[in-house]
Amino acid sequence: MRQAAGILRVRTPGAGLHEITAEVAGWVREQGMTTGLLTAFCRHTSASLLIQENADPDVRRDLEDWVARIAPEGAGYRHQDEGPDDMPAHLRAALTGVQLSIPLIDGRLALGTWQGVYLFEHRRQAHRREVALHLMGE
């Protein structure tokens, strides 16, 4: 059994779902393993990770709209240290999660046909985000 770990750095232009499937898959290929389990972990409290459909962009827009309704700005939050989108970003990250586990089968991520890996930026401003990657396998 082998292990590999690394950091994927992602620049986001602002709020929204940003697909990182190609970057994650590229890192996995570089490790040269054929079978295993990838863990991806977002190292932030105002961004998250998720697997979602990557075929129809309306899915992403609808999801972005939905989380904005569930955790809206201007709802009287106590925590606003970094602006009015600060606390809603924390709530949105709590709802969507910061960790993914994806099996590696025959050297490829075992994603479904229409699945992609996304970093979900919950802040309006551009950010530099880090996703820790850990692969165990052979």
Side-chain angles (χ1 to χ4, degrees):
M1 187 70 63
R2 292 179 34 221
Q3 294 188 55
I7 301 292
L8 177 63
R9 289 174 176 80
V10 179
R11 289 182 181 263
T12 66
L17 285 156
H18 307 289
E19 188 168 7
I20 60 171
T21 310
E23 293 88 343
V24 172
W27 182 86
V28 167
R29 269 191 309 279
E30 290 172 3
Q31 308 319 306
M33 296 184 209
T34 57
T35 304
L37 183 65
L38 172 71
T39 299
F41 179 79
C42 181
R43 300 179 67 186
H44 305 278
T45 60
S46 57
S48 56
L49 294 174
L50 61 132
I51 294 172
Q52 196 47 254
E53 179 178 325
N54 63 0
D56 184 352
D58 284 341
V59 172
R60 293 186 295 279
R61 286 192 286 271
D62 286 340
L63 185 55
E64 291 164 1
D65 292 346
W66 179 78
V67 296
R69 284 192 306 275
I70 297 298
E73 289 186 30
Y77 305 112
R78 286 182 285 277
H79 177 74
Q80 295 191 37
D81 292 353
E82 297 177 20
D85 69 336
D86 192 8
M87 190 60 211
H90 293 298
L91 294 172
R92 294 169 188 177
L95 287 170
T96 50
V98 297
Q99 179 179 318
L100 300 173
S101 295
I102 306 170
L104 180 68
I105 301 172
D106 295 329
R108 298 183 52 173
L109 296 174
L111 295 169
T113 302
W114 308 115
Q115 290 182 318
V117 179
Y118 289 87
L119 183 123
F120 201 165
E121 176 62 68
H122 301 297
R123 301 298 304 272
R124 282 187 261 126
Q125 297 298 315
H127 281 82
R128 282 181 261 159
R129 302 298 193 177
E130 292 185 346
V131 178
L133 301 173
H134 179 253
L135 181 61
M136 290 184 64
E138 41 191 35

